[in-house]
Amino acid sequence: RASIMASAGFPDAALESYDRALALSPNPTDWLNRGALLNELLRFEEAIASFDKALASSPDDPAILMNRASSLAMLERYEEVEAIYDRIIKRDPTFQQAYALKGLAVKQMGRLAEGRALLEQALAMQPDDQLTAYALGRLMLQTGDWRNAWPYFERRALLAEPVYVPLKHPRWSGEGPGDFRLVLVCEHGLADTVPFCRYASLLAGRGHAVTLLA
């Protein structure tokens, strides 16, 4: 019932059902699911408390640890996040996602070179991980390694949920003006859109028909 109510968009009813189920039979799976729901509701401290209940009986369960790390990251408690990923990696050195997420955590603490090394390691372990490639590209852009960053950053178009709304038409690959129109798509927020929209004028100056989609 809790799972159905959560999927149907009734989180309070879902939490009530989780609590009733746990009162009858405490178990790590229900504590985990309860915490995941609280994470979705942005109630991170309460989510951590649920994950701690789950860990009491399953202390090394990577799913519980990963969810707990997610809550801690939202609270910007990155040192604790790093400790969780170290714990996971020590137990399973092949856990690729732990390296990637640890890389993002240490990046947030200003350790950019270490973050890059971890993301590169994670990508080497799973070369088709588009999300890690995108994260690596963003970090490389942040450190000024633009030329090497762009191929990784371009892989954001391959994400299951792209960070922008893609058009149905083919992407431009840099060819000269022809019987086509370039449509520049605004991707992130105004902090990116405002400086980058100047490329509309530059492209028009090279003879392209250009539309800026904002």
Side-chain angles (χ1 to χ4, degrees):
R1 185 179 186 277
S3 177
I4 292 170
M5 297 304 283
S7 298
F10 299 99
D12 292 336
L15 287 172
E16 180 183 347
S17 286
Y18 277 129
D19 290 341
R20 290 175 63 187
L22 286 162
L24 291 167
S25 177
N27 66 87
T29 299
D30 286 341
W31 281 119
L32 170 60
N33 291 334
R34 183 180 186 274
L37 176 58
L38 288 165
N39 253 359
E40 293 177 11
L41 298 173
L42 310 183
R43 292 159 61 176
F44 303 117
E45 294 284 3
E46 295 173 76
I48 290 170
S50 279
F51 297 139
D52 286 343
K53 291 282 190 180
L55 288 169
S57 55
S58 295
D60 294 313
D61 187 315
I64 303 170
L65 291 169
M66 296 284 282
N67 275 274
R68 190 177 193 276
S70 176
S71 298
L72 291 167
M74 295 305 297
L75 295 171
E76 300 184 359
R77 291 159 59 177
Y78 296 114
E79 291 182 0
E80 295 172 75
V81 173
E82 181 184 10
I84 288 178
Y85 292 130
D86 284 339
R87 179 176 169 183
I88 294 172
I89 291 169
K90 183 177 181 180
R91 184 173 179 82
D92 182 4
T94 67
F95 201 126
Q96 182 264 357
Q97 191 179 10
Y99 291 91
L101 293 173
K102 179 184 175 183
L104 295 177
V106 301
K107 170 192 172 184
Q108 293 295 332
M109 292 187 282
R111 291 148 52 192
L112 301 184
E114 186 179 349
R116 174 172 175 168
L118 285 161
L119 289 170
E120 289 174 336
Q121 184 177 0
L123 194 58
M125 295 169 73
Q126 189 173 328
D128 62 348
D129 182 349
Q130 310 302 348
L131 192 58
T132 294
Y134 170 52
L136 176 59
R138 291 188 64 177
L139 191 153
M140 293 167 73
L141 287 172
Q142 185 177 343
T143 59
D145 189 7
W146 295 346
R147 185 175 298 278
N148 291 315
W150 288 118
Y152 293 112
F153 191 73
E154 283 291 282
R155 288 171 65 176
R156 71 200 186 283
L158 302 175
L159 294 174
E161 296 183 10
V163 294
Y164 60 94
V165 179
L167 302 179
K168 296 182 293 184
H169 310 289
R171 295 185 68 186
W172 182 51
S173 58
E175 62 269 24
D179 186 21
F180 59 88
R181 173 173 293 274
L182 290 180
V183 180
L184 306 188
V185 179
C186 298
E187 185 169 332
H188 293 290
L190 288 176
D192 293 320
T193 298
V194 170
F196 272 88
C197 69
R198 70 186 186 279
Y199 288 105
S201 298
L202 292 173
L203 290 165
R206 294 184 180 185
H208 288 284
V210 182
T211 292
L212 180 66
L213 182 61

